[in-house]
Amino acid sequence: MHGFTNGLKTAVLFGALGALLVVGGGLIAGSQGLVIGLVLALGINAFSYFNSDKLALRSMAARPVSEAEQPAMYRIVRELATSARQPMPRLYVSPTAAPNAFATGRNPRHAAVCATEGILQMLSERELRAVLAHELSHVYNRDILISSVAGAIASAVVWIANIAVFFGGMGFGGGGSDRDRNPVAELLMLFLGPLAASLIQLSISRAREYQADESGAMLSADPLALASALRKLEVGTAQRPLAPTPRLQTASHMMIANPFGGVRSLFSTHPPMEQRIARLQELAKSDPRYLH
């Protein structure tokens, strides 16, 4: 049920984001500004999409590891990938003591999974297996593509607003004669449009996190282990928050827990931990196979 709801919510949010782009973009920048903003945003996010693995791994100073170095990690990921009938991803470890993990790559054949030294030391093997299943689910659910498309649309709204500000006097603003224009509506869209786009993009990120929790729990067949891991991660990330550098902020939405600590707001990339844990406990109660 949650899986259907998450998918429906993502579709509705994409519809709202698209409507904001077309209606708001046309209102504040006209057809020319709309096209220019969209082209610029698509170009930037296409680069991010095809280089997402390199950018995310670099942000955490991750290095590739061999099976001899991390036999448990290899064994777990190989078993989960085989169960899902997917190729084996590349495995990385980040030297940071802050507990976290993430997966990246535009599809299963170009996927990479990274765990920090902190999470490898903190979790039991059962909990680590549940976390790695969550990360693989992000890849199998094509969440990198989804976040890239959401980012492209949100970025287009921001670019269009910038075009309207800097080139409003050069025929990009309003899309019609002065008599047809509504200055109040244009001003509101100019300032509130980018904010609304960012909020919708972050809502999509939170919805995909819930989806990865559920599909990851089903892949590992152990939602309670993931719930236990999330409890530990909530404490661990609060005790060892990472500095919000620009490079890390770009990759933070990929991580299983907010790397900057348990800060909650409308601008959070992750849902509240207690809600994620409650959903996993509900999933475990729904099927006797999960209660172990």
Side-chain angles (χ1 to χ4, degrees):
M1 183 62 189
H2 281 314
F4 173 77
T5 302
N6 287 331
L8 180 61
K9 182 178 180 180
T10 301
V12 170
L13 288 169
F14 264 116
L17 203 52
L20 181 64
L21 173 63
V22 174
V23 177
L27 181 64
I28 65 178
S31 58
Q32 293 181 27
L34 179 62
V35 171
I36 293 173
L38 186 58
V39 168
L40 287 171
L42 286 174
I44 292 170
N45 283 275
F47 173 83
S48 298
Y49 173 63
F50 285 102
N51 293 277
S52 61
D53 52 347
K54 301 180 185 70
L55 296 172
L57 293 166
R58 195 177 301 147
S59 72
M60 292 294 287
R63 64 177 183 86
V65 290
S66 66
E67 189 164 3
E69 293 175 284
Q70 290 292 336
M73 192 175 176
Y74 266 83
R75 182 177 67 254
I76 291 168
V77 173
R78 184 178 290 114
E79 179 251 314
L80 291 171
T82 301
S83 175
R85 297 182 179 179
Q86 298 289 345
M88 180 74 180
R90 294 167 290 139
L91 301 186
Y92 289 77
V93 169
S94 168
T96 179
N100 230 310
F102 66 90
T104 184
R106 60 186 184 273
N107 57 47
R109 293 193 176 278
H110 296 87
V113 176
C114 178
T116 66
E117 290 183 356
I119 201 172
L120 293 172
Q121 295 168 5
M122 173 183 286
L123 301 185
S124 68
E125 184 166 321
R126 179 186 169 192
E127 291 166 337
L128 179 62
R129 181 175 178 274
V131 165
L132 293 173
H134 167 102
E135 295 306 329
L136 288 171
S137 291
H138 274 304
V139 177
Y140 303 157
N141 294 342
R142 299 300 195 273
D143 284 337
I144 305 302
L145 174 62
I146 289 172
S147 64
S148 295
V149 173
I153 300 173
S155 298
V157 174
V158 174
W159 275 105
I160 289 165
N162 290 334
I163 289 169
V165 169
F166 291 106
F167 301 103
M170 298 175 65
F172 288 110
S177 67
D178 289 342
R179 183 180 298 175
D180 297 330
R181 294 174 62 178
N182 185 334
V184 175
E186 289 181 21
L187 193 61
L188 286 174
M189 279 303 307
L190 190 63
F191 292 103
L192 298 182
L195 175 63
S198 296
L199 291 175
I200 295 171
Q201 181 187 6
L202 291 167
S203 294
I204 291 173
S205 176
R206 292 191 291 269
R208 301 317 299 167
E209 205 64 35
Y210 279 131
Q211 183 62 51
D213 281 345
E214 182 173 343
S215 53
M218 295 174 70
L219 177 60
S220 67
D222 200 352
L224 293 180
L226 182 55
S228 177
L230 291 179
R231 285 193 196 93
K232 291 183 179 180
L233 287 167
E234 183 175 24
V235 175
T237 53
Q239 291 176 342
R240 295 179 178 270
L242 296 178
T245 62
R247 183 181 289 182
L248 190 56
Q249 283 181 321
T250 302
S252 63
H253 70 280
M254 298 182 186
M255 300 183 188
I256 190 168
N258 187 337
F260 311 126
V263 180
R264 292 190 203 172
S265 73
L266 287 173
F267 296 95
S268 177
T269 55
H270 294 70
M273 278 294 195
E274 65 267 20
Q275 292 184 19
R276 296 172 67 182
I277 291 169
R279 285 180 175 227
L280 289 165
Q281 291 172 333
E282 182 183 339
L283 178 62
K285 291 177 183 177
S286 70
D287 193 325
R289 293 175 300 173
Y290 295 147
L291 292 174
H292 60 79

